[in-house]
Amino acid sequence: MSSGGFLKELQVIGEKLLLKLQRLPKADPVEIVSFCVILLFIATVLVLMVIACSCCCYSCCSCAGRPDHRRRKIQVRPVAN
């Protein structure tokens, strides 16, 4: 899909969402609740993705200023009796 086609699809989706939001005050209560549940689901997925990516970046990229301990190899020696 070309970038022009992708932008056109985003514009169509945005227009449908705007139309849905404009009709929402006159909608049935069931439709309002279902629309809110869908929006809540999308927001939850996006927030979880941001949290997962930030935690992964924080631990992998040493953003905390300390070296990554998972990459360091540790030699295991037998215990002397």
Side-chain angles (χ1 to χ4, degrees):
M1 179 182 283
S2 67
S3 63
F6 180 70
L7 291 176
K8 184 68 174 169
E9 284 293 321
L10 280 179
Q11 182 180 4
V12 169
I13 291 171
E15 288 173 358
K16 286 181 182 179
L17 181 65
L18 184 61
L19 183 64
K20 188 73 164 176
L21 286 173
Q22 289 173 347
R23 291 182 183 170
L24 202 57
K26 296 178 258 178
D28 295 332
V30 174
E31 191 174 355
I32 294 172
V33 170
S34 63
F35 187 72
C36 290
V37 167
I38 291 171
L39 286 181
L40 183 65
F41 175 75
I42 292 171
T44 303
V45 169
L46 291 176
V47 167
L48 289 176
M49 282 178 46
V50 167
I51 290 172
C53 291
S54 64
C55 289
C56 182
C57 176
Y58 185 78
S59 65
C60 292
C61 300
S62 300
C63 296
R66 62 179 194 269
D68 190 7
H69 297 292
R70 292 183 292 165
R71 294 185 184 171
R72 183 175 53 179
K73 292 185 178 183
I74 299 173
Q75 293 181 346
V76 178
R77 298 181 185 168
V79 177
N81 291 341

